[in-house]
Amino acid sequence: GQQLNQSPQSMFIQEGEDVSMNCTSSSIFNTWLWYKQEPGEGPVLLIALYKAGELTSNGRLTAQFGITRKDSFLNISASIPSDVGIYFCAGPDSGGSNYKLTFGKGTLLTVNP
Amino acid sequence: GAVVSQHPSRVICKSGTSVKIECRSLDFQATTMFWYRQFPKQSLMLMATSNEGSKATYEQGVEKDKFLINHASLTLSTLTVTSAHPEDSSFYICSARVWGINEKLFFGSGTQLSVL
């Protein structure tokens, strides 16, 4: 199946700093989804991207769908302590009708107050 | 966004017992739901795809007789872990597909299963 390489694996930042993480793939994705997961909870959808080059914001979060369709990044501006969690990129497997998602391994974000 | 309700959030059971986990789409009809398993500090692993009115499709390596999936209505899918053993202890998460031009997948809040 398809694989997503997500980096960095973890980040330790100070409150107020900006954060950037990205996902790359060796194959083309037609959709990129970014999720945040907090301990003991299911992933929550942050941003969905459907067109190459698309840049979408959700509050302090901004994500872009790469032109090549093989990458995407997520930026968080002016981080706050509640941004702590694991961020996953995901995309549906191609060629199937069941919309099975492939997930990156996640980026663990820690924000120091 | 769409709301997916998963119940229970946490369950502790004895080895050999069966545990049922429910996943409901609250404000939309979900013809397709997915069941994932997640180990600590790892990503989500797809276990099976649940389609309303038909048999579930299991991923390679997932025992269909161990993890029984029923999707009897457009808003409810259940996962039953039969004869649970300690190695079945994990975080189980369901998700539901929202159809449309811009499709999305919404997740339940997860169930932490601990088998003693």
Side-chain angles (χ1 to χ4, degrees), chain A residues 61-95:
Chain A
L61 278 62
T62 302
Q64 183 157 30
F65 194 148
I67 291 290
T68 64
R69 295 180 176 267
K70 294 183 178 181
D71 64 309
S72 176
F73 72 73
L74 174 70
N75 288 342
I76 304 173
S77 62
S79 59
I80 58 178
S82 61
D83 290 332
V84 166
I86 303 177
Y87 292 79
F88 291 101
C89 61
D93 282 3
S94 61

Side-chain angles (χ1 to χ4, degrees), chain B residues 2-61:
Chain B
V3 178
V4 177
S5 175
Q6 186 172 343
H7 180 81
S9 59
R10 185 178 298 273
V11 58
I12 302 173
C13 69
K14 292 182 179 180
S15 184
T17 61
S18 294
V19 174
K20 179 185 283 189
I21 303 170
E22 293 188 347
C23 182
R24 295 180 184 274
S25 56
L26 295 187
D27 51 359
F28 65 102
Q29 293 182 335
T31 54
T32 304
M33 291 186 176
F34 302 90
W35 287 94
Y36 290 82
R37 185 173 182 176
Q38 186 179 33
F39 292 104
K41 298 185 179 181
Q42 293 192 19
S43 190
L44 286 77
M45 290 172 32
L46 180 65
M47 298 175 64
T49 302
S50 170
N51 293 301
E52 186 268 336
S54 63
K55 291 182 179 180
T57 303
Y58 290 82
E59 295 300 297
Q60 191 172 8

Side-chain angles (χ1 to χ4, degrees), chain A residues 31 33 35 37 40-43 45 48 50 88 97-101 103-105, chain B residues 34 36 38 43-44 46 49 51 59 91 93 97 102-109:
Chain A
T31 299
L33 304 171
Y35 291 89
Q37 186 179 27
E41 297 289 333
L45 182 64
Y50 300 100
F88 291 101
S97 60
N98 264 335
Y99 207 73
K100 290 163 54 173
L101 285 187
F103 281 85
K105 294 189 182 298
Chain B
F34 302 90
Y36 290 82
Q38 186 179 33
S43 190
L44 286 77
L46 180 65
T49 302
N51 293 301
E59 295 300 297
F91 192 57
I93 315 172
R97 178 183 183 183
N102 293 332
E103 295 195 15
K104 299 183 178 71
L105 206 63
F106 291 95
F107 286 83
S109 54

Side-chain angles (χ1 to χ4, degrees), chain A:
Chain A
Q2 296 170 307
Q3 291 186 337
L4 292 178
N5 300 309
Q6 187 171 348
S7 64
Q9 190 173 6
S10 62
M11 303 181 73
F12 298 84
I13 63 170
Q14 292 296 126
E15 182 177 0
E17 291 183 0
D18 297 342
V19 172
S20 184
M21 60 192 79
N22 69 84
C23 270
T24 60
S25 172
S26 59
S27 54
I28 290 174
F29 278 81
N30 292 318
T31 299
W32 285 93
L33 304 171
W34 284 94
Y35 291 89
K36 177 188 177 186
Q37 186 179 27
E38 298 186 19
E41 297 289 333
V44 174
L45 182 64
L46 300 174
I47 293 179
L49 302 163
Y50 300 100
K51 296 180 182 178
E54 179 180 355
L55 183 70
T56 298
S57 293
N58 177 7
R60 293 178 295 104
L61 278 62
T62 302
Q64 183 157 30
F65 194 148
I67 291 290
T68 64
R69 295 180 176 267
K70 294 183 178 181
D71 64 309
S72 176
F73 72 73
L74 174 70
N75 288 342
I76 304 173
S77 62
S79 59
I80 58 178
S82 61
D83 290 332
V84 166
I86 303 177
Y87 292 79
F88 291 101
C89 61
D93 282 3
S94 61
S97 60
N98 264 335
Y99 207 73
K100 290 163 54 173
L101 285 187
T102 297
F103 281 85
K105 294 189 182 298
T107 295
L108 173 62
L109 178 63
T110 303
V111 180
N112 295 316

